[in-house]
């Protein structure tokens, strides 16, 4: 789509640093330069205000990636695009399965209502791919300790984004993206597959809530 729109050498394309590298790599393949903007802390998608702040005379397009069932603020991004004459493209989650969505949503609602040991996702998230919670660090690696303890209790979990792209060797940028970096430090994906049993859901709740002490503020 970038090439079809005439985006290429000398152009900049604004993309999120929180997430898969594929979008930034596609920008490079089109001959353009990926520029990273910060995310909204609730949706994990590009923030229109952050995008507006990094627009330059070379910016040609913005690629918004919908993340964890959350929708990017496309209306806000389009307003930014209209103001600066930019193309605004959308990218869905790259590996989101399409089966069992109603069941996953039901499980997400169940977890939202019972988890106290973590910060649960927004109520309106579709949870089409991952059920992502936050474990605030308070200056300590709480998320990683929390993940190890939850796994020890038989609950499979993983860190959805281990390193933001602007902190990787390939796309290194000497910039500050505070919400992106905080999300990478705090987020944890818990299982919400349609194949889960009620007992497995209860195990997730018990394991997370038993570790709620990790969320206490540091003094």
């Amino acid at each position: 789509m970038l090439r079809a729109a005439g985006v290429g050498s000398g152009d900049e394309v604004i993309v999120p640093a929180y997430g898969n590298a594929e979008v930034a790599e596609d920008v490079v393949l089109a001959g353009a330069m990926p520029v990273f903007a910060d995310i909204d802390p609730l949706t994990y998608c590009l923030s229109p205000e952050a995008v507006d702040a990094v627009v330059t005379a070379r910016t040609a397009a913005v690629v918004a990636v919908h993340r964890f069932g959350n929708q990017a603020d496309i209306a806000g991004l389009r307003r930014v695009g209209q103001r600066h004459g930019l193309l605004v493209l959308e990218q869905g989650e790259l590996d989101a399965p399409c089966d069992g969505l109603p069941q996953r949503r039901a499980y997400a609602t169940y977890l939202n209502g019972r988890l106290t040991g973590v910060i649960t996702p927004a109520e309106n998230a579709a949870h089409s791919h991952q059920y992502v919670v936050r474990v605030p660090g308070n200056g300590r690696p709480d998320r990683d300790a929390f993940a190890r303890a939850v796994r020890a209790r038989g609950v499979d979990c993983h860190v959805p984004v281990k390193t933001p792209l602007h902190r990787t060797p390939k796309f290194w940028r000497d910039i500050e993206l505070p919400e992106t970096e905080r999300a990478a430090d705090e987020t944890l994906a818990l299982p919400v597959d349609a194949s889960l049993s009620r007992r497995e859901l209860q195990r997730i709740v018990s394991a997370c809530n038993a570790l709620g002490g990790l969320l206490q503020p540091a003094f």
Side-chain angles (χ1 to χ4, degrees), residues 162-210:
K162 295 181 179 179
T163 306
L165 295 181
H166 70 297
R167 295 293 181 242
T168 63
K170 185 174 183 178
F171 293 107
W172 179 267
R173 302 285 191 278
D174 187 16
I175 57 175
E176 296 293 330
L177 301 177
E179 295 300 342
T180 295
E181 291 160 16
R182 189 174 298 116
D185 288 342
E186 296 180 351
T187 49
L188 185 68
L190 298 173
V192 72
D193 301 329
S195 60
L196 290 175
S197 68
R198 179 55 65 96
R199 176 172 293 183
E200 288 171 320
L201 282 174
Q202 292 171 343
R203 180 186 300 160
I204 295 169
V205 173
S206 297
C208 290
N209 292 356

Side-chain angles (χ1 to χ4, degrees), residues 76-162:
L77 291 171
R78 284 176 176 161
R79 285 192 293 271
V80 174
Q82 290 171 355
R83 188 158 58 248
H84 297 286
L86 309 177
L87 175 69
V88 177
L89 301 175
E90 299 178 55
Q91 169 70 60
E93 293 179 273
L94 297 177
D95 52 352
C98 59
D99 60 312
L101 180 56
Q103 190 65 62
R104 285 194 296 277
R105 286 177 172 168
Y107 287 169
T109 299
Y110 176 91
L111 293 175
N112 277 359
R114 290 164 176 80
L115 287 174
T116 60
V118 295
I119 299 173
T120 56
E123 289 289 339
N124 60 349
H127 305 293
S128 60
H129 178 33
Q130 301 184 78
Y131 181 84
V132 176
V133 299
R134 280 189 184 247
V135 185
N138 295 321
R140 307 186 305 273
D142 285 1
R143 190 272 315 278
D144 295 337
F146 191 96
R148 288 193 296 270
V150 167
R151 292 189 192 106
R153 287 165 168 80
V155 175
D156 186 26
C157 62
H158 69 275
V159 175
V161 177
K162 295 181 179 179

Side-chain angles (χ1 to χ4, degrees), residues 2 5-8 10-14 32 55-62 84-88:
L2 291 170
V7 176
D11 292 329
E12 296 176 349
V13 178
I14 300 173
V55 172
T56 72
R58 298 174 61 184
T59 307
V62 179
H84 297 286
L86 309 177
L87 175 69
V88 177

